[in-house]
Amino acid sequence: MSLTAVAEAVGGRLVDVIDPGVQVTEPAVFDSREAGPGSLFVALAGEHADGHAFAESAHNKGAVVALVNRPVGVPAIVVDDVLHAFGTLAHTLLTGPLAATRVVAITGSAGKTSTKDFVSQVLPGSVVATPQSFNNEIGLPLTVTMADTTTDHLVLEMGARHIGDIRDLTLVAPPDISIVTNVGTAHIGEFGGRDNIAEAKGEIVEALAPGGLAVLNADDDYVQPMRERAGGSVVTFGLGEDADVRATDLSTDAHGRTSFTLVTPEGSAPVQLQFVGGVQVHNSLAAAAVGRGAGLTPEEIAARLSRAVPRSRWRMETVTRADGVTIVNDAYNANPTSVRHALEALASMSGGAEQRSVAVLGRMNELGDDARAAHEEIGRHAAAQGLDMIVLVGGDEAGWMRDGVRDAGGRATWVPDQEAALGLLLPALRPGDVVLVKASRAVQLQRLVEELLKPAPPAGRLTGESR
């Protein structure tokens, strides 16, 4: 689009522009370090920095224009509200140049990102998908600008912390296919209860374009009723016989990867997942339902699912060190549902004296009044998995998990910070051990993973309980 066309789309005015016919030819960026020739720089004012201060840097790297709320001394489009204008631009693209691109929207309390990775590898043709977990009012329009007229499918995660958040995102990107993975307790402190979470997640179904397809989890009691909110067709996925797309004959290998028989109304075919964790079965079934809607045969869907690999960092990202210790990095985020699934996957990946299981857990955020009970329950669940070592990192939340472990008759080590956790783990790990690291994003436990993946120290012994 020309600078004139962009300005008209967002209701802005051109400032310090010499040639309004210059074209924006590359995706938008909001980090000036990622700007390049032909890009549009979105100047957002954050908590710690104001993007307007970096507009000149973006211009020097080749950005042809900046979207701003005040002149910045380089070619710019000035608007009253940068974020609103950015969303308007994305909607303009989807209803104009990208009108032929089908939008697949995904939401749920857990599993959005893995489902996105599956869907993007199952669908035929050219597919653009949400990078990382860019699933909010900033990341969604950014993803839209990554598509072009050759893009067949645009796969978008949609996250929410309040009722109405997903509705706002669907106004930017009306979905042709809507997927709801589950309704759990993520952000329950913000929502105030699972009923409210279900109300919010269901907005993605209500927003379906005419003739759209709702893909719903048949095994989730909060998701099933959403079929009444769908104006188009509904297809369900799950393990029960009432699901339209289901899995049977499940088995798990020593690496925590599940194989199963994919069953659809058109036939069945064997699948061997490359993703770790039993929860990935449901995520892959959601993708299978989308693939079926795109006209793929059961055999084609099964083959694509079996080839699909994780594309998003820090989500059950599994690396085996040279000394044979396996580190499972699931530190991108955490909520009670995802932590339970991760602990179950850890238990399935280990067993016996030669392959011990070690869970390193930090706090789960945004649980509100349920925080203590939720952390205690995770402690009890961890103890029930029969793990060899449980390390709990941080303050009160770690102590609550320790209480839960004790209530269930287990043992855990509570340490104050990552440095203490590292000091405990380095001499303890030995070849064959499997270590899960998981916490909410703000805890930054991936830093512990980085230290654990450095050249292995001498093998040691697991310690007992401390503190």
Side-chain angles (χ1 to χ4, degrees):
M1 298 176 68
S2 69
L3 301 192
T4 297
V6 175
E8 289 177 351
V10 302
R13 59 187 176 92
L14 297 172
V15 176
D16 296 320
V17 171
I18 298 175
D19 180 4
V22 168
Q23 300 279 314
V24 178
T25 58
E26 296 297 319
V29 298
F30 54 82
D31 184 334
S32 62
R33 295 168 295 186
E34 297 177 1
S39 63
L40 177 149
F41 175 65
V42 183
L44 297 174
E47 183 178 346
H48 303 292
D50 186 345
H52 291 75
F54 301 92
E56 183 177 358
S57 175
H59 175 72
N60 292 338
K61 288 180 176 292
V64 295
V65 72
L67 188 62
V68 299
N69 60 24
R70 61 180 183 273
V72 287
V74 298
I77 298 172
V78 179
V79 295
D80 293 332
D81 185 326
V82 172
L83 193 54
H84 177 75
F86 191 30
T88 299
L89 175 60
H91 183 77
T92 300
L93 290 171
L94 286 171
T95 55
L98 303 179
T101 300
R102 286 177 62 79
V103 173
V104 182
I106 304 170
T107 196
S109 296
K112 292 187 295 296
T113 300
S114 293
T115 301
K116 171 205 69 181
D117 286 351
F118 276 120
V119 170
S120 65
Q121 294 174 79
V122 166
L123 282 170
S126 173
V127 181
V128 169
T130 300
Q132 301 179 51
S133 282
F134 286 5
N135 59 24
N136 61 10
E137 67 276 15
I138 301 171
L140 183 137
L142 178 73
T143 306
V144 172
T145 71
M146 295 169 62
D148 60 34
T149 55
T150 69
T151 303
D152 297 300
H153 294 94
L154 185 60
V155 184
L156 301 173
E157 285 187 52
M158 294 188 177
R161 284 180 168 81
H162 308 92
I163 291 175
D165 286 352
I166 290 177
R167 183 178 296 112
D168 290 343
L169 295 176
T170 61
L171 290 174
V172 173
D176 297 290
I177 301 173
S178 293
I179 302 172
V180 183
T181 61
N182 49 60
V183 172
T185 53
H187 312 305
I188 196 168
E190 300 286 341
F191 282 105
R194 289 184 73 186
D195 288 336
N196 289 340
I197 295 174
E199 177 65 25
K201 300 302 183 185
E203 293 169 358
I204 204 170
V205 177
E206 293 175 343
L208 277 169
L213 175 67
V215 177
L216 304 178
N217 185 345
D219 297 334
D220 190 306
D221 292 338
Y222 284 86
V223 176
Q224 287 189 61
M226 293 181 191
R227 64 168 55 246
E228 304 301 325
R229 300 166 68 177
S233 302
V234 175
V235 62
T236 60
F237 64 92
L239 303 183
E241 292 187 1
D242 59 338
D244 300 314
V245 176
R246 58 195 179 94
T248 62
D249 309 317
L250 279 70
S251 63
T252 304
D253 67 15
H255 301 287
R257 300 172 303 194
T258 304
S259 62
F260 60 89
T261 300
L262 172 68
V263 180
T264 76
E266 294 73 33
S268 59
V271 174
Q272 171 61 69
L273 297 181
Q274 304 304 311
F275 287 61
V276 172
V279 69
Q280 302 298 350
V281 174
H282 276 84
N283 298 335
S284 68
L285 289 175
V290 174
R292 177 174 174 263
L296 299 178
T297 67
E299 292 77 13
E300 289 172 327
I301 295 169
R304 290 168 183 255
L305 288 177
S306 298
R307 290 195 300 267
V309 295
R311 288 180 170 175
S312 303
R313 296 191 64 194
W314 307 339
R315 293 169 180 82
M316 298 302 285
E317 186 176 23
T318 303
V319 178
T320 300
R321 300 189 324 197
D323 67 341
V325 173
T326 297
I327 309 295
V328 182
N329 183 355
D330 200 27
Y332 191 87
N333 216 334
N335 60 66
T337 301
S338 67
V339 176
R340 284 195 297 271
H341 290 156
L343 289 168
E344 291 161 7
L346 172 63
S348 73
M349 296 172 68
S350 56
E354 300 303 318
Q355 198 174 39
R356 302 175 304 172
S357 53
V358 181
V360 183
L361 306 175
R363 74 174 183 272
M364 302 175 290
N365 287 342
E366 298 179 336
L367 296 176
D369 293 339
D370 294 328
R372 180 165 193 150
H375 283 88
E376 289 176 347
E377 176 55 33
I378 286 299
R380 287 189 289 270
H381 194 71
Q385 304 309 307
L387 307 177
D388 294 288
M389 185 178 187
I390 301 171
V391 180
L392 308 170
V393 184
D396 290 343
E397 295 87 353
W400 297 336
M401 285 190 282
R402 191 272 311 271
D403 293 342
V405 172
R406 285 178 169 175
D407 288 345
R411 300 179 64 193
T413 302
W414 177 16
V415 295
D417 51 38
Q418 295 192 47
E419 183 177 357
L422 183 65
L424 175 68
L425 291 166
L426 285 180
L429 300 177
R430 67 190 189 202
D433 289 349
V434 182
V435 184
L436 167 72
V437 181
K438 187 161 183 66
S440 280
R441 182 81 168 110
V443 181
Q444 298 284 295
L445 273 191
Q446 77 276 0
R447 296 174 180 171
L448 176 61
V449 173
E450 292 169 359
E451 293 299 319
L452 290 173
L453 289 177
K454 289 180 178 179
R461 298 170 57 188
L462 291 170
T463 65
E465 184 168 351
S466 67
R467 190 170 168 183

